Amino acid sequence: DQVLLAEQALDEFDEKEVQQIKSHYACHIILSKAAAYYETLSRQGLMSEREAGEFLEEMEAHILHTKECQDSSHAGEISDRHKLEMVPDDGWSPLHLSSSNAKSVTENMKEDADEV
């Protein structure tokens, strides 16, 4: 039941954005599990504290990079679907387009959004 509700909520967002967020989240999970594994190896004496520390620093750097990627590389990106939603329905005068130009612009934007 909760899964169905979650899937319905995700359907309201742009698929490309959801995939991007899922990818970043998956990277974060995998890197966190790797860091926990190195900590376990160190605690069990299967790896020196120094060796584990080096790997943990590397994992931390990758986790930070993943967060920075989401925050900076993808921050402010607007999907084609959201761009379409921003186009006024009731008139094109604010965009200084004639109705014939407005129609072709809208059709092009919809075609681009469908390709994504």
Side-chain angles (χ1 to χ4, degrees):
D1 195 38
Q2 292 294 323
V3 173
L4 181 60
L5 290 173
E7 288 175 352
Q8 289 172 345
L10 286 176
D11 287 342
E12 294 179 22
F13 294 96
D14 183 69
E15 184 178 340
K16 184 178 175 182
E17 290 175 286
V18 171
Q19 288 299 343
Q20 195 175 73
I21 291 167
K22 284 182 180 179
S23 295
H24 284 95
Y25 188 61
C27 288
H28 183 78
I29 290 171
I30 292 167
L31 291 167
S32 295
K33 286 187 179 272
Y37 179 71
Y38 289 120
E39 287 176 348
T40 300
L41 290 176
S42 177
R43 273 195 318 273
Q44 294 176 348
L46 299 171
M47 180 179 272
S48 73
E49 194 173 308
R50 184 173 145 246
E51 287 175 314
E54 290 174 5
F55 283 111
L56 288 170
E57 285 180 15
E58 186 177 342
M59 294 300 112
E60 183 179 359
H62 289 305
I63 289 170
L64 182 61
H65 174 75
T66 301
K67 180 172 175 14
E68 288 174 349
C69 178
Q70 180 66 34
D71 292 345
S72 62
S73 298
H74 305 295
E77 288 184 2
I78 300 176
S79 68
D80 290 334
R81 186 176 122 208
H82 286 121
K83 289 176 190 174
L84 268 175
E85 290 171 359
M86 294 168 42
V87 175
D89 293 348
D90 54 349
W92 289 89
S93 58
L95 298 175
H96 304 290
L97 296 172
S98 68
S99 59
S100 61
N101 286 343
K103 183 177 179 186
S104 64
V105 168
T106 304
E107 287 170 356
N108 288 337
M109 289 177 75
K110 285 182 182 174
E111 288 171 8
D112 290 344
D114 290 339
E115 291 175 5
V116 174

